[in-house]
Amino acid sequence: MNSENLIQIKQFCIYHEIEDTFIAKLNNYGLVEIIVLEEEQYLQPEQLPDIEKMIRLHYDLKINLEGIDAIAHLLNKIESLQKDLTATQNKLRLFEQYQVD
């Protein structure tokens, strides 16, 4: 894998003024995926919005890692349910159109 599009954890932590152990703990909970290349640790750019939310939850709101894990699980569940609802609404619209014609 190429490290060009990856975010180095050390730099990310310096920018956000957090300990790199926080990212390691998120990884242990399965909340982020750490990529190791040539003995350096990286994050995928797609993960950054979620990680930044977790940073705010932990450092600003003082929510522990167990709480962050529960919140992340619930947010993922809500997102999944919203996708299901949208798909169901689309099917209903098609059905309603078919019934009118």
Side-chain angles (χ1 to χ4, degrees), residues 27-99:
N27 182 59
N28 291 342
Y29 273 87
L31 297 170
V32 298
E33 180 184 347
I34 294 177
I35 298 168
V36 179
L37 293 175
E38 299 175 11
E39 298 183 25
E40 287 292 331
Q41 295 182 332
Y42 298 91
L43 299 168
Q44 295 175 344
E46 301 83 37
Q47 298 182 94
L48 294 184
D50 291 334
I51 295 171
E52 289 171 342
K53 284 179 196 174
M54 291 180 227
I55 289 170
R56 286 191 299 277
L57 288 171
H58 184 69
Y59 288 98
D60 295 346
L61 300 177
K62 307 294 187 224
I63 296 175
N64 64 16
L65 290 171
E66 291 82 6
I68 292 171
D69 186 32
I71 290 168
H73 174 73
L74 291 172
L75 289 174
N76 288 336
K77 187 70 172 172
I78 289 170
E79 183 179 339
S80 173
L81 290 170
Q82 285 176 330
K83 287 178 183 177
D84 290 346
L85 177 61
T86 301
T88 303
Q89 288 173 331
N90 290 339
K91 288 177 185 177
L92 180 60
R93 281 191 203 102
L94 286 173
F95 180 74
E96 287 173 341
Q97 274 184 334
Y98 181 73
Q99 292 296 323

Side-chain angles (χ1 to χ4, degrees), residues 9 13 18-28 59 65:
I9 290 178
C13 291
I18 63 170
E19 296 291 325
D20 55 356
T21 56
F22 178 71
I23 302 297
K25 289 176 184 176
L26 291 176
N27 182 59
N28 291 342
Y59 288 98
L65 290 171

